[in-house]
Amino acid sequence: MRLLVTGGAGYIGSVVAAQLVEAGHEVTVLDDLSTGHADAVPEGARFVEGSITEAGDALAGVEAVLHFAARSLVGESVEKPGLYWSHNLGGTLALLEAMHERGVRRIVFSSTAATYGEPERSPIVESDPTRPTNPYGASKLAVDTALTAYAGLRGLGAVSLRYFNVAGAYGRLRERHTVETHLIPNVLKVATGERESVSVFGTDYPTADGTCVRDYIHVSDLARAHLLALDAVTEGQHKIYNLGNGTGFSVQEVISVCREVTGHDIPAVVGPRRAGDPAVLVASSEKIQRELGWKAERASIRDIVADAWDALSGE
Ligand SMILES: NC(=O)c1ccc[n+]([C@@H]2O[C@H](COP(=O)([O-])OP(=O)(O)OC[C@H]3O[C@@H](n4cnc5c(N)ncnc54)[C@H](O)[C@@H]3O)[C@@H](O)[C@H]2O)c1
Ligand SMILES: O=c1ccn([C@@H]2O[C@H](COP(=O)(O)OP(=O)(O)O[C@H]3O[C@H](CO)[C@H](O)[C@H](O)[C@H]3O)[C@@H](O)[C@H]2O)c(=O)[nH]1
C-alpha cells in the first residue's frame, strides 16, 4: 500500500516505518522534526519535512495514514495545555480534513494508556472508564472521540492503539528524546556515564515495593501490531485496542534488570512522587490478541532492556 507515516522520524514512528518498508509498502514520512531526527527515517521511505497541519501534498496517492505525530510529555502538557490541545487535537483535525479532501479513508492512530487516567481495576480493558488526569491524555482521548464521530459521519475507517509503556529498540532505532522523561532510557544513561544517578519518583505507593508498576512493551512488538491494525481498518468503524504485555514491573524491578543487563551498579536516589503518576498501569491486550491475532515475541523485560542497551551502548 501507499502509506503516510506522520511522526516517522520519532522513536515509535521510525520503527513502524522501517517495518512497513520491510513488508514492501511504499512509505512517505511527514515530520516537522520538533522532537524527531531525520536520520531515523528508514532507507527506502520518502521524507517530507513539514507539519501535520499542512499534510495536503504528502497525502497525494496515499491509501492510509499511520498517525504518530504528537506532543507527548505529560509534565509539559500540564504547564502548556494550549500547546497540547492545538498540536494533538487541532493538528489531527487538520489532518483528518486534508484526508477527507483527498479521499483518504483509513487511519491508524497512536492513542495512550493516559486516556484511562487512574484505573479502577487492573488489568485495564478497553471498555473501562476514560478519565484522563492531564491535558496530554485528554487531548488523545479527544482525538479518539473525533475518530469515532468521523467513522459514523463520514465512513472513515480508524484503529486506535492505546500503548502502555513502550521501550526497547529496533536495531539502531532507539529512544532519542532531547527531553527524556522515560524510565528505561534514563536508567541506562547512568550506565553510559551520561547521568550520575537515576531518581526514583516515590516509594510510598500501594505496591509490593512502594514504587510504581508499569506494563513495558517492546517497540518491535508494538510496531508489528500496527501492520495488523492496518489490515483490520474497516471503513465506517473505529476500533480501539490496548497494547501491553499484561505484566507489571515496579520502578525498582526495572532498575535491577538494568543493573543485571549493563553490569553497572546504577545508583538510584529516592525522590518525591511525580505529579499525576497512577500507582499501577497494566494492560489487558486480550482484545487485540483475539481479534487481530497479535502476540508479543519479546515480552520479557530483560529482552526489552537488553535491546535498548545494545542500541545505546553500540553507538
Ligand atoms: N513512547 C511511549 O511510551 C508512548 C506511549 C503512549 C503513546 N505514545 C504516542 O506514540 C506517538 C509516538 O511517540 P514517540 O515516543 O515516538 O514520540 P517522538 O517524540 O519520538 O515522536 C513524535 C514525532 O512526531 C513529530 N511531530 C510532532 N509534532 C508534529 C507535527 N505537528 N507535525 C509533524 N510532525 C510532528 C516529532 O518531530 C517526532 O518525530 C505519540 O503520538 C505518543 O503520544 C507514546
Ligand atoms: O527518571 C525516572 C523516570 C520515571 N520514573 C517512574 O517510572 C515509571 C514510568 O515512567 P515513564 O515516564 O517511563 O512512563 P509513564 O508511565 O509516565 O508514561 C507512559 O504512560 C503514560 C500513560 O500514563 C503515557 O502513555 C506516556 O506516553 C507513556 O510514556 C513512573 O512511575 C515514573 O514515576 C522514575 O521513577 N524515574
Side-chain angles (χ1 to χ4, degrees), residues 72-74 111-117 133-134 136 162-166 175 180-187 195 197-202 205 211-216 249-252 254-255 269 272-274 276-279 281:
S72 59
L73 298 175
V74 170
S111 189
T112 166
T115 54
Y116 293 108
T133 52
N134 53 63
Y136 165 64
R162 290 192 172 152
Y163 316 155
F164 281 61
N165 289 62
V166 188
E175 280 191 84
E180 189 54 81
T181 59
H182 289 154
L183 179 65
I184 292 175
N186 276 339
V187 178
R195 294 172 64 114
S197 62
V198 65
S199 302
V200 176
F201 297 147
Y205 285 94
T211 64
C212 287
V213 169
R214 293 289 182 274
D215 182 340
Y216 295 88
F249 292 92
S250 73
V251 172
Q252 295 287 21
V254 169
I255 296 172
V269 177
R273 288 184 177 199
R274 187 172 68 179
D277 273 342
L281 282 177

Short mmCIF file of all heavy atoms in Angstrom, two decimals, residues 72-74 111-117 133-134 136 162-166 175 180-187 195 197-202 205 211-216 249-252 254-255 269 272-274 276-279 281, ligand 2:
data_model
loop_
_atom_site.label_atom_id
_atom_site.label_comp_id
_atom_site.label_asym_id
_atom_site.label_seq_id
_atom_site.Cartn_x
_atom_site.Cartn_y
_atom_site.Cartn_z
N SER A 72 4.09 14.66 23.50
CA SER A 72 3.74 13.55 24.39
C SER A 72 4.44 13.59 25.74
O SER A 72 4.69 12.54 26.33
CB SER A 72 3.98 12.21 23.68
OG SER A 72 5.33 12.09 23.31
N LEU A 73 4.71 14.79 26.25
CA LEU A 73 5.29 14.88 27.60
C LEU A 73 4.19 15.29 28.59
O LEU A 73 3.64 16.39 28.49
CB LEU A 73 6.43 15.90 27.64
CG LEU A 73 7.63 15.60 26.74
CD1 LEU A 73 8.64 16.75 26.77
CD2 LEU A 73 8.29 14.30 27.18
N VAL A 74 3.89 14.40 29.52
CA VAL A 74 2.78 14.64 30.45
C VAL A 74 3.02 15.94 31.23
O VAL A 74 2.13 16.79 31.33
CB VAL A 74 2.62 13.43 31.40
CG1 VAL A 74 1.64 13.77 32.52
CG2 VAL A 74 2.16 12.21 30.63
N SER A 111 -2.87 6.13 20.24
CA SER A 111 -3.52 6.59 21.47
C SER A 111 -2.67 6.12 22.65
O SER A 111 -1.53 5.67 22.46
CB SER A 111 -4.96 6.06 21.53
OG SER A 111 -5.65 6.66 22.60
N THR A 112 -3.17 6.23 23.85
CA THR A 112 -2.30 6.00 25.01
C THR A 112 -3.06 5.52 26.23
O THR A 112 -4.27 5.81 26.38
CB THR A 112 -1.58 7.32 25.37
OG1 THR A 112 -1.00 7.21 26.67
CG2 THR A 112 -2.52 8.50 25.40
N ALA A 113 -2.35 4.84 27.11
CA ALA A 113 -2.91 4.44 28.40
C ALA A 113 -3.34 5.66 29.21
O ALA A 113 -4.19 5.55 30.10
CB ALA A 113 -1.86 3.66 29.19
N ALA A 114 -2.75 6.83 28.88
CA ALA A 114 -3.09 8.05 29.62
C ALA A 114 -4.55 8.47 29.40
O ALA A 114 -5.05 9.34 30.12
CB ALA A 114 -2.15 9.18 29.22
N THR A 115 -5.23 7.87 28.42
CA THR A 115 -6.66 8.19 28.23
C THR A 115 -7.50 7.63 29.39
O THR A 115 -8.59 8.12 29.65
CB THR A 115 -7.22 7.59 26.92
OG1 THR A 115 -6.94 6.19 26.91
CG2 THR A 115 -6.59 8.25 25.70
N TYR A 116 -6.97 6.61 30.09
CA TYR A 116 -7.77 5.99 31.16
C TYR A 116 -7.64 6.75 32.48
O TYR A 116 -8.53 6.70 33.32
CB TYR A 116 -7.32 4.53 31.39
CG TYR A 116 -7.64 3.64 30.21
CD1 TYR A 116 -6.62 3.17 29.37
CD2 TYR A 116 -8.95 3.29 29.92
CE1 TYR A 116 -6.90 2.36 28.29
CE2 TYR A 116 -9.24 2.48 28.82
CZ TYR A 116 -8.21 2.03 28.01
OH TYR A 116 -8.50 1.23 26.93
N GLY A 117 -6.51 7.44 32.70
CA GLY A 117 -6.29 8.10 33.99
C GLY A 117 -6.03 7.09 35.09
O GLY A 117 -5.38 6.07 34.86
N THR A 133 -6.04 12.35 33.47
CA THR A 133 -5.68 13.23 34.58
C THR A 133 -4.74 14.35 34.14
O THR A 133 -4.22 15.08 34.98
CB THR A 133 -5.00 12.42 35.71
OG1 THR A 133 -3.92 11.68 35.13
CG2 THR A 133 -5.97 11.48 36.39
N ASN A 134 -4.47 14.47 32.82
CA ASN A 134 -3.61 15.56 32.34
C ASN A 134 -4.01 15.91 30.90
O ASN A 134 -4.66 15.11 30.22
CB ASN A 134 -2.13 15.14 32.43
CG ASN A 134 -1.89 13.82 31.74
OD1 ASN A 134 -2.07 13.70 30.53
ND2 ASN A 134 -1.51 12.81 32.51
N TYR A 136 -2.34 15.99 28.18
CA TYR A 136 -1.85 15.05 27.16
C TYR A 136 -2.87 13.94 26.94
O TYR A 136 -3.34 13.72 25.81
CB TYR A 136 -0.49 14.48 27.59
CG TYR A 136 -0.07 13.26 26.80
CD1 TYR A 136 0.17 13.33 25.44
CD2 TYR A 136 0.07 12.01 27.42
CE1 TYR A 136 0.55 12.21 24.71
CE2 TYR A 136 0.45 10.88 26.71
CZ TYR A 136 0.68 10.99 25.35
OH TYR A 136 1.04 9.87 24.64
N ARG A 162 -3.91 1.87 21.97
CA ARG A 162 -3.59 2.53 23.23
C ARG A 162 -2.35 1.87 23.84
O ARG A 162 -2.44 0.82 24.49
CB ARG A 162 -4.78 2.46 24.19
CG ARG A 162 -5.90 3.35 23.71
CD ARG A 162 -6.98 3.56 24.74
NE ARG A 162 -7.90 4.58 24.24
CZ ARG A 162 -9.16 4.68 24.56
NH1 ARG A 162 -9.70 3.82 25.40
NH2 ARG A 162 -9.91 5.66 24.06
N TYR A 163 -1.19 2.52 23.60
CA TYR A 163 0.07 1.96 24.06
C TYR A 163 0.21 2.16 25.56
O TYR A 163 -0.13 3.21 26.08
CB TYR A 163 1.29 2.65 23.45
CG TYR A 163 1.28 2.97 21.98
CD1 TYR A 163 2.07 4.01 21.51
CD2 TYR A 163 0.54 2.25 21.06
CE1 TYR A 163 2.12 4.34 20.17
CE2 TYR A 163 0.58 2.58 19.72
CZ TYR A 163 1.36 3.63 19.28
OH TYR A 163 1.41 3.95 17.95
N PHE A 164 0.82 1.19 26.23
CA PHE A 164 1.23 1.37 27.61
C PHE A 164 2.68 1.86 27.58
O PHE A 164 2.96 2.80 26.87
CB PHE A 164 0.91 0.11 28.43
CG PHE A 164 -0.59 0.09 28.78
CD1 PHE A 164 -1.55 0.07 27.78
CD2 PHE A 164 -1.02 0.17 30.09
CE1 PHE A 164 -2.91 0.14 28.07
CE2 PHE A 164 -2.38 0.24 30.39
CZ PHE A 164 -3.32 0.22 29.39
N ASN A 165 3.63 1.25 28.27
CA ASN A 165 4.98 1.85 28.29
C ASN A 165 5.88 1.23 27.24
O ASN A 165 6.31 0.08 27.40
CB ASN A 165 5.59 1.70 29.69
CG ASN A 165 4.89 2.62 30.67
OD1 ASN A 165 3.70 2.47 30.91
ND2 ASN A 165 5.61 3.56 31.23
N VAL A 166 6.14 1.99 26.20
CA VAL A 166 6.91 1.47 25.06
C VAL A 166 8.40 1.62 25.37
O VAL A 166 8.85 2.66 25.85
CB VAL A 166 6.55 2.25 23.79
CG1 VAL A 166 7.19 1.59 22.58
CG2 VAL A 166 5.04 2.36 23.63
N GLU A 175 15.09 5.19 21.60
CA GLU A 175 14.56 6.46 22.11
C GLU A 175 15.67 7.48 22.13
O GLU A 175 16.71 7.26 22.73
CB GLU A 175 14.01 6.28 23.53
CG GLU A 175 12.64 5.68 23.56
CD GLU A 175 12.00 5.75 24.92
OE1 GLU A 175 11.41 6.78 25.27
OE2 GLU A 175 12.09 4.75 25.65
N GLU A 180 14.32 13.71 27.93
CA GLU A 180 13.95 12.30 28.16
C GLU A 180 13.31 12.16 29.54
O GLU A 180 13.94 12.44 30.55
CB GLU A 180 15.18 11.39 28.05
CG GLU A 180 14.84 9.91 28.07
CD GLU A 180 13.78 9.55 27.01
OE1 GLU A 180 14.13 9.38 25.83
OE2 GLU A 180 12.60 9.43 27.40
N THR A 181 12.05 11.76 29.56
CA THR A 181 11.34 11.57 30.84
C THR A 181 11.15 10.09 31.15
O THR A 181 10.82 9.74 32.27
CB THR A 181 9.95 12.24 30.80
OG1 THR A 181 9.20 11.65 29.73
CG2 THR A 181 10.06 13.75 30.60
N HIS A 182 11.34 9.23 30.18
CA HIS A 182 11.01 7.82 30.36
C HIS A 182 12.05 7.08 31.20
O HIS A 182 13.25 7.36 31.13
CB HIS A 182 10.82 7.14 29.00
CG HIS A 182 9.56 7.58 28.31
ND1 HIS A 182 9.40 7.56 26.96
CD2 HIS A 182 8.41 8.06 28.82
CE1 HIS A 182 8.18 8.01 26.65
NE2 HIS A 182 7.57 8.32 27.77
N LEU A 183 11.55 6.10 31.95
CA LEU A 183 12.39 5.44 32.95
C LEU A 183 13.58 4.69 32.34
O LEU A 183 14.73 4.93 32.73
CB LEU A 183 11.52 4.47 33.78
CG LEU A 183 12.27 3.68 34.84
CD1 LEU A 183 12.83 4.61 35.92
CD2 LEU A 183 11.36 2.62 35.47
N ILE A 184 13.32 3.76 31.43
CA ILE A 184 14.40 2.86 30.97
C ILE A 184 15.56 3.65 30.32
O ILE A 184 16.71 3.47 30.72
CB ILE A 184 13.86 1.71 30.09
CG1 ILE A 184 13.01 0.78 30.97
CG2 ILE A 184 14.98 0.96 29.38
CD1 ILE A 184 12.30 -0.35 30.25
N PRO A 185 15.30 4.56 29.36
CA PRO A 185 16.45 5.31 28.81
C PRO A 185 17.18 6.12 29.87
O PRO A 185 18.41 6.21 29.83
CB PRO A 185 15.83 6.21 27.74
CG PRO A 185 14.35 6.09 27.88
CD PRO A 185 14.06 4.85 28.63
N ASN A 186 16.44 6.66 30.84
CA ASN A 186 17.13 7.44 31.88
C ASN A 186 18.00 6.56 32.77
O ASN A 186 19.10 6.95 33.16
CB ASN A 186 16.12 8.21 32.73
CG ASN A 186 15.74 9.52 32.05
OD1 ASN A 186 16.47 10.02 31.20
ND2 ASN A 186 14.59 10.07 32.41
N VAL A 187 17.55 5.35 33.07
CA VAL A 187 18.36 4.44 33.89
C VAL A 187 19.61 4.03 33.10
O VAL A 187 20.72 4.03 33.63
CB VAL A 187 17.55 3.19 34.30
CG1 VAL A 187 18.42 2.24 35.10
CG2 VAL A 187 16.31 3.58 35.09
N ARG A 195 24.52 10.25 32.89
CA ARG A 195 23.89 10.75 34.13
C ARG A 195 24.59 10.10 35.31
O ARG A 195 25.09 8.98 35.20
CB ARG A 195 22.40 10.36 34.15
CG ARG A 195 21.57 11.03 33.08
CD ARG A 195 20.18 10.42 33.09
NE ARG A 195 19.52 10.73 34.35
CZ ARG A 195 18.45 11.50 34.48
NH1 ARG A 195 17.91 12.04 33.43
NH2 ARG A 195 17.93 11.73 35.66
N SER A 197 23.07 9.47 38.40
CA SER A 197 22.16 8.56 39.13
C SER A 197 20.78 8.69 38.51
O SER A 197 20.51 9.60 37.72
CB SER A 197 22.09 8.94 40.61
OG SER A 197 21.57 10.25 40.72
N VAL A 198 19.92 7.75 38.89
CA VAL A 198 18.53 7.83 38.45
C VAL A 198 17.67 8.18 39.66
O VAL A 198 17.94 7.74 40.78
CB VAL A 198 18.06 6.52 37.76
CG1 VAL A 198 18.05 5.35 38.73
CG2 VAL A 198 16.68 6.70 37.14
N SER A 199 16.62 8.99 39.43
CA SER A 199 15.70 9.33 40.52
C SER A 199 14.56 8.33 40.52
O SER A 199 14.03 7.98 39.46
CB SER A 199 15.10 10.72 40.30
OG SER A 199 16.12 11.67 40.21
N VAL A 200 14.20 7.89 41.72
CA VAL A 200 13.02 7.03 41.87
C VAL A 200 11.90 7.93 42.39
O VAL A 200 12.00 8.46 43.50
CB VAL A 200 13.30 5.88 42.87
CG1 VAL A 200 12.04 5.05 43.08
CG2 VAL A 200 14.44 5.01 42.37
N PHE A 201 10.88 8.10 41.57
CA PHE A 201 9.82 9.06 41.90
C PHE A 201 8.78 8.42 42.84
O PHE A 201 7.71 7.99 42.41
CB PHE A 201 9.14 9.57 40.63
CG PHE A 201 10.05 10.34 39.71
CD1 PHE A 201 9.86 10.28 38.32
CD2 PHE A 201 11.10 11.12 40.19
CE1 PHE A 201 10.68 10.99 37.46
CE2 PHE A 201 11.93 11.83 39.33
CZ PHE A 201 11.72 11.76 37.96
N GLY A 202 9.11 8.37 44.10
CA GLY A 202 8.15 7.90 45.11
C GLY A 202 8.31 6.45 45.47
O GLY A 202 8.46 5.59 44.58
N TYR A 205 3.95 4.18 47.25
CA TYR A 205 2.74 3.76 46.52
C TYR A 205 2.24 2.43 47.08
O TYR A 205 3.04 1.64 47.64
CB TYR A 205 3.06 3.59 45.02
CG TYR A 205 3.19 4.91 44.28
CD1 TYR A 205 4.44 5.50 44.11
CD2 TYR A 205 2.08 5.55 43.78
CE1 TYR A 205 4.57 6.72 43.44
CE2 TYR A 205 2.19 6.78 43.10
CZ TYR A 205 3.43 7.34 42.94
OH TYR A 205 3.55 8.54 42.28
N THR A 211 7.08 1.29 44.82
CA THR A 211 7.31 2.10 43.62
C THR A 211 6.26 1.75 42.55
O THR A 211 5.63 0.68 42.60
CB THR A 211 8.74 1.91 43.05
OG1 THR A 211 8.92 0.56 42.63
CG2 THR A 211 9.79 2.25 44.11
N CYS A 212 6.08 2.66 41.59
CA CYS A 212 5.00 2.49 40.59
C CYS A 212 5.24 1.27 39.70
O CYS A 212 6.39 0.97 39.34
CB CYS A 212 4.94 3.71 39.68
SG CYS A 212 4.28 5.16 40.46
N VAL A 213 4.15 0.67 39.32
CA VAL A 213 4.21 -0.52 38.45
C VAL A 213 3.69 -0.15 37.06
O VAL A 213 2.64 0.50 36.94
CB VAL A 213 3.37 -1.66 39.08
CG1 VAL A 213 3.17 -2.80 38.09
CG2 VAL A 213 4.02 -2.14 40.36
N ARG A 214 4.44 -0.55 36.03
CA ARG A 214 4.06 -0.26 34.65
C ARG A 214 4.19 -1.52 33.79
O ARG A 214 4.95 -2.44 34.11
CB ARG A 214 4.97 0.82 34.04
CG ARG A 214 4.81 2.20 34.69
CD ARG A 214 3.48 2.83 34.31
NE ARG A 214 3.30 4.15 34.87
CZ ARG A 214 2.81 4.40 36.09
NH1 ARG A 214 2.46 3.41 36.88
NH2 ARG A 214 2.65 5.63 36.50
N ASP A 215 3.50 -1.48 32.66
CA ASP A 215 3.48 -2.59 31.70
C ASP A 215 4.35 -2.18 30.51
O ASP A 215 3.96 -1.33 29.71
CB ASP A 215 2.02 -2.80 31.29
CG ASP A 215 1.82 -3.96 30.34
OD1 ASP A 215 2.80 -4.37 29.68
OD2 ASP A 215 0.68 -4.44 30.23
N TYR A 216 5.55 -2.77 30.42
CA TYR A 216 6.51 -2.39 29.36
C TYR A 216 6.33 -3.29 28.15
O TYR A 216 6.29 -4.51 28.27
CB TYR A 216 7.95 -2.46 29.90
CG TYR A 216 8.16 -1.43 31.01
CD1 TYR A 216 7.86 -1.74 32.33
CD2 TYR A 216 8.57 -0.13 30.70
CE1 TYR A 216 8.00 -0.79 33.35
CE2 TYR A 216 8.71 0.82 31.70
CZ TYR A 216 8.42 0.49 33.02
OH TYR A 216 8.54 1.44 34.00
N PHE A 249 5.88 -4.29 36.05
CA PHE A 249 7.17 -4.27 36.75
C PHE A 249 7.30 -2.94 37.48
O PHE A 249 6.93 -1.89 36.94
CB PHE A 249 8.34 -4.44 35.76
CG PHE A 249 8.36 -5.82 35.16
CD1 PHE A 249 7.71 -6.07 33.96
CD2 PHE A 249 8.98 -6.87 35.82
CE1 PHE A 249 7.69 -7.33 33.41
CE2 PHE A 249 8.97 -8.14 35.28
CZ PHE A 249 8.32 -8.38 34.08
N SER A 250 7.82 -3.01 38.72
CA SER A 250 7.98 -1.79 39.50
C SER A 250 9.23 -1.04 39.04
O SER A 250 10.11 -1.62 38.36
CB SER A 250 8.10 -2.14 40.99
OG SER A 250 9.37 -2.71 41.24
N VAL A 251 9.30 0.23 39.43
CA VAL A 251 10.48 1.04 39.10
C VAL A 251 11.74 0.35 39.64
O VAL A 251 12.75 0.23 38.93
CB VAL A 251 10.32 2.47 39.68
CG1 VAL A 251 11.62 3.26 39.52
CG2 VAL A 251 9.16 3.19 38.99
N GLN A 252 11.68 -0.14 40.87
CA GLN A 252 12.86 -0.82 41.46
C GLN A 252 13.21 -2.08 40.67
O GLN A 252 14.40 -2.37 40.47
CB GLN A 252 12.58 -1.21 42.93
CG GLN A 252 12.39 -0.03 43.87
CD GLN A 252 13.70 0.73 44.18
OE1 GLN A 252 14.68 0.64 43.43
NE2 GLN A 252 13.70 1.48 45.26
N VAL A 254 12.69 -2.61 37.49
CA VAL A 254 13.28 -2.21 36.21
C VAL A 254 14.75 -1.81 36.42
O VAL A 254 15.64 -2.19 35.65
CB VAL A 254 12.47 -1.04 35.58
CG1 VAL A 254 13.23 -0.43 34.40
CG2 VAL A 254 11.10 -1.53 35.14
N ILE A 255 15.01 -1.06 37.49
CA ILE A 255 16.40 -0.64 37.76
C ILE A 255 17.28 -1.87 38.00
O ILE A 255 18.40 -1.95 37.50
CB ILE A 255 16.45 0.35 38.95
CG1 ILE A 255 15.70 1.65 38.58
CG2 ILE A 255 17.90 0.66 39.35
CD1 ILE A 255 15.51 2.63 39.73
N VAL A 269 18.48 7.33 43.45
CA VAL A 269 18.21 8.29 44.52
C VAL A 269 16.69 8.41 44.68
O VAL A 269 15.99 8.70 43.69
CB VAL A 269 18.81 9.68 44.17
CG1 VAL A 269 18.49 10.70 45.25
CG2 VAL A 269 20.31 9.56 43.95
N PRO A 272 10.66 12.51 45.64
CA PRO A 272 9.21 12.56 45.84
C PRO A 272 8.45 11.99 44.64
O PRO A 272 9.03 11.80 43.57
CB PRO A 272 8.92 14.05 46.00
CG PRO A 272 10.06 14.75 45.33
CD PRO A 272 11.24 13.85 45.42
N ARG A 273 7.17 11.77 44.85
CA ARG A 273 6.32 11.32 43.74
C ARG A 273 6.32 12.36 42.62
O ARG A 273 6.47 13.55 42.90
CB ARG A 273 4.87 11.18 44.22
CG ARG A 273 4.62 10.01 45.13
CD ARG A 273 3.13 9.95 45.43
NE ARG A 273 2.80 8.80 46.26
CZ ARG A 273 1.56 8.28 46.37
NH1 ARG A 273 0.55 8.85 45.75
NH2 ARG A 273 1.34 7.23 47.13
N ARG A 274 6.14 11.90 41.37
CA ARG A 274 5.94 12.82 40.25
C ARG A 274 4.43 13.02 40.12
O ARG A 274 3.69 12.03 40.14
CB ARG A 274 6.52 12.16 38.98
CG ARG A 274 6.53 13.05 37.77
CD ARG A 274 7.28 12.40 36.61
NE ARG A 274 6.59 11.23 36.07
CZ ARG A 274 7.04 10.50 35.04
NH1 ARG A 274 8.18 10.81 34.46
NH2 ARG A 274 6.36 9.46 34.61
N GLY A 276 0.74 13.22 39.16
CA GLY A 276 -0.10 12.60 38.14
C GLY A 276 0.24 11.16 37.79
O GLY A 276 -0.35 10.60 36.86
N ASP A 277 1.18 10.53 38.52
CA ASP A 277 1.54 9.14 38.22
C ASP A 277 0.58 8.17 38.91
O ASP A 277 0.57 8.09 40.14
CB ASP A 277 2.96 8.83 38.72
CG ASP A 277 4.03 9.18 37.71
OD1 ASP A 277 3.70 9.34 36.52
OD2 ASP A 277 5.20 9.27 38.12
N PRO A 278 -0.21 7.38 38.17
CA PRO A 278 -1.01 6.33 38.83
C PRO A 278 -0.07 5.26 39.40
O PRO A 278 1.04 5.06 38.89
CB PRO A 278 -1.85 5.75 37.69
CG PRO A 278 -1.76 6.74 36.58
CD PRO A 278 -0.44 7.43 36.73
N ALA A 279 -0.50 4.58 40.46
CA ALA A 279 0.35 3.57 41.11
C ALA A 279 0.63 2.38 40.18
O ALA A 279 1.76 1.93 40.05
CB ALA A 279 -0.32 3.08 42.39
N LEU A 281 -0.30 0.64 36.26
CA LEU A 281 -0.92 0.68 34.92
C LEU A 281 -0.53 -0.59 34.19
O LEU A 281 0.63 -0.75 33.79
CB LEU A 281 -0.44 1.89 34.12
CG LEU A 281 -1.01 3.27 34.43
CD1 LEU A 281 -0.34 4.33 33.56
CD2 LEU A 281 -2.53 3.30 34.20
O1 LIG B 2 13.57 9.08 35.96
C1 LIG B 2 12.51 8.48 36.18
C2 LIG B 2 11.52 8.31 35.18
C3 LIG B 2 10.35 7.63 35.53
N1 LIG B 2 10.17 7.15 36.79
C4 LIG B 2 8.96 6.39 37.11
O2 LIG B 2 8.91 5.29 36.24
C5 LIG B 2 7.56 4.98 35.87
C6 LIG B 2 7.45 5.00 34.37
O3 LIG B 2 7.59 6.35 33.93
P1 LIG B 2 7.76 6.76 32.40
O4 LIG B 2 7.95 8.24 32.36
O5 LIG B 2 8.80 5.89 31.77
O6 LIG B 2 6.38 6.36 31.76
P2 LIG B 2 4.89 6.79 32.18
O7 LIG B 2 4.27 5.59 32.80
O8 LIG B 2 4.83 8.06 32.92
O9 LIG B 2 4.30 7.19 30.76
C7 LIG B 2 3.83 6.28 29.82
O10 LIG B 2 2.48 6.02 30.09
C8 LIG B 2 1.65 7.13 30.04
C9 LIG B 2 0.29 6.65 30.40
O11 LIG B 2 0.03 7.01 31.72
C10 LIG B 2 1.70 7.76 28.65
O12 LIG B 2 1.12 6.90 27.69
C11 LIG B 2 3.12 8.07 28.25
O13 LIG B 2 3.16 8.50 26.91
C12 LIG B 2 3.97 6.87 28.42
O14 LIG B 2 5.31 7.18 28.17
C13 LIG B 2 6.71 6.04 36.55
O15 LIG B 2 6.21 5.51 37.75
C14 LIG B 2 7.68 7.17 36.89
O16 LIG B 2 7.33 7.89 38.04
C15 LIG B 2 11.14 7.30 37.77
O17 LIG B 2 10.96 6.86 38.90
N2 LIG B 2 12.29 7.96 37.43
#
